[in-house]
Amino acid sequence: MTSAPRPWPLRFDRLVAAAFWLAVLTLLAASPLAAQSQTTEDGAVNTGRSLELGRKWVDALTHYESSLKRWPDIKALKHGLRRTRIQCTILRRYTDRSYQQSLLPLRQTDALALFDQTLGRIQAAFVEKVSLTSFIAHGTESVYLSLANQRFLDRHLSGQSPTTSTALRDLRRELFRRYWNRPIRSSAEAHRVVAEVCQLANTRLGLPPSAIVLEYIFGGCNSLDDYSACLTPDRYNDLNANIDGQFVGLGVELKGDTNNGLLLINVLPDSPAEVSGLLPGDHIVRIDRTDCRKMTTDEAAGLLKGPVGSRVKLGILRANAPKEQSIPVVRRPVVIRSIPLVEMLDTRRGIGYIQMTGFQRNTVAELDQALARLQRQGLKAVIWDLRHNPGGLLDAATDVLDRFVADGVLVSTRGRTWDQNRVYRAHRAGTTHIPLVVLTDGESASASEIVAGAIRDHKRGLVIGRRTFGKWSVQSIFPLAASSGLRLTTARFYSPAGHNLSKVGVRPDITVTAPVSQDGIYRRPTRKTLADDGDVRKALAELRARLSG
């Protein structure tokens, strides 16, 4: 059974000579240059390569990302970032239980059928025409890099004889010599090449065909854009749960913090985590007696999952607390609210505040309830907070915009297929005309930018804060075989004035300096902290002046 694809405005460089750099890593690690200070460009490059040699992919990724902020034009750093991103995605897949349990066991015929299905869907629906040569080349690159990924090797080649390393080296050389950028003229030829590499890898190393085919599927998607990807069954289910606004779990947002555990970035309101006393800024260091300080986020997340009603005991380190705390949490359904905070900030002037953290199926209903609640308190102007809102459903964005814009175009989309070319217009009925301020920052993306762009173009209100992220494309979600999925860019969207601000973003009418936090983690304002929020204070000042005038 299949369902219709879902329009989802969500949030690598092209193929490079990764083979060359990986071949010289050993030489570089033995060179005196490897000890060079990271305060120079060469030092940064050599440090990154040393981390790659040690297969410390997450550390290498962090290093390259920070180095590129200082030296954004250094090609060696860009290439290193690309390689480590691919290695991290391989690592992530091999810590994904659904990938291991549902995809890796596929027979060769079933894996190749999944490859054909994925490639066919991409050719039919991706926003640009896809080069088959590029798609297969990126898949070959992913196979090549996976043969240097310890997690991949541990899964498929553990306990092999000493001759394995020689066979590995020979296979990688042959991949580079025979298949790197090999011209592909048809989907049938792409299928034959993948099957040929399966046979080669199985003969040389005994690798299962599914492991090779899956690298061509997931790696081939690297030839697309930053927002398109093949999804493991768990990631596909998580995405659908996010769209629907409900999942089973603890209700936390996590970020890996190397050697320190899992940093809680956010604790959802009314979630099991909040009820149990977990706080943003806490570090999870133990999950049911298992130390998770050296785990990847995906590995730890796998331990945190479980059925409704099951209990997990977390070891927590909290700032200013001397000892690890043990906190039990019971898993249950968690409802993700699009609007977690609604507040009347100025009762005398009637200035309300609405914090919107995503665009889901229930968002417009939540907005109507929030506006009705504030109107009962004398609402005359509103601050609409879209900071750190990564987007969501396109239809949800246009529905909420329709509450504030009376006439004209809200957004338009343009793609390769007829069903991706649409113009969304406002409807006068139900529109509120109160003064409006929209708050944005660098993490306001996609659907948030649809809102900010329309408010600006229609001169409906002020945009205050920082420039938005710059993701102006629409993704559709397609189901695939083996319970997997495909997130694919199928269109680009344009503001009412016809602008596509991809990689540019919406510039605010009034820029406010970004707040600085000690740990670099953004924390959404709460009822207690709203009064100290610089963006909110500026918005209040602007609305008070307008209402007084």
Side-chain angles (χ1 to χ4, degrees), residues 2 75 107 110 138 167 195 236 246 266 287 295 310 329 358 389 439 471 485 536:
T2 60
K75 289 185 178 180
R107 297 175 301 173
D110 294 331
H138 282 77
Y236 179 57
Q246 184 167 337
N266 188 29
I287 304 171
M295 287 185 180
S310 60
V329 186
N389 182 324
L439 301 183
K471 183 205 163 293
V536 172

Side-chain angles (χ1 to χ4, degrees), residues 15 131-138 140-141 174-186 188-197 200 216:
L15 196 59
S131 163
L132 290 172
T133 296
S134 178
F135 189 87
I136 293 300
H138 282 77
T140 301
E141 177 190 36
E174 191 155 2
L175 285 170
F176 184 72
R177 180 175 59 84
R178 291 178 56 189
Y179 299 100
W180 212 273
N181 287 328
R182 175 172 170 172
I184 305 296
R185 300 169 185 83
S186 68
E189 185 175 3
H191 180 110
R192 287 195 299 271
V193 167
V194 175
E196 189 177 311
V197 175
L200 181 66
Y216 273 99

Side-chain angles (χ1 to χ4, degrees), residues 507-518:
R507 185 172 59 187
D509 299 301
I510 300 173
T511 299
V512 179
T513 302
V516 178
S517 63
Q518 289 183 343

Side-chain angles (χ1 to χ4, degrees), residues 107 109 120 152 164 177 179 204 208 218 246 277-278 410 466:
R107 297 175 301 173
T109 53
F152 180 96
T164 300
R177 180 175 59 84
Y179 299 100
R204 297 287 183 85
F218 284 83
Q246 184 167 337
L278 296 181
L410 299 174
R466 271 77 58 205

Side-chain angles (χ1 to χ4, degrees), residues 257-332:
D257 189 0
T258 306
N259 297 321
N260 293 318
L262 299 168
L263 175 63
L264 298 190
I265 299 174
N266 188 29
V267 177
L268 299 182
D270 302 322
S271 65
E274 184 185 63
V275 171
S276 298
L278 296 181
L279 301 173
D282 286 349
H283 280 85
I284 300 176
V285 296
R286 203 175 310 280
I287 304 171
D288 284 335
R289 299 183 181 179
T290 301
D291 193 305
C292 62
R293 274 170 277 214
K294 295 185 181 299
M295 287 185 180
T296 67
T297 305
D298 293 292
E299 286 176 302
L303 295 178
L304 292 173
K305 290 181 178 179
V308 175
S310 60
R311 181 186 300 267
V312 61
K313 186 174 291 187
L314 304 179
I316 299 295
L317 287 180
R318 182 168 292 166
N320 302 321
K323 295 182 179 180
E324 177 182 323
Q325 302 178 48
S326 180
I327 299 179
V329 186
V330 177
R331 303 176 180 96
R332 61 169 171 78

Side-chain angles (χ1 to χ4, degrees), residues 11 385-390 438-446 448-449 452 463-470 505-506 508 512-515 522-525 533 535:
R11 299 235 354 217
D385 191 349
L386 297 179
R387 291 173 299 174
H388 265 64
N389 182 324
V438 174
L439 301 183
T440 64
D441 63 10
E443 298 301 320
S444 303
S446 199
S448 294
E449 296 178 282
V463 178
I464 293 177
R466 271 77 58 205
R467 188 187 295 267
T468 63
F469 183 81
V506 178
V512 179
T513 302
Y522 174 80
R523 291 178 174 82
R524 301 186 192 281
D533 189 291
D535 296 336

Side-chain angles (χ1 to χ4, degrees), residues 157 191 346 350 368 396 411 473:
L157 295 176
H191 180 110
D346 187 329
D368 288 341
V411 67
S473 60

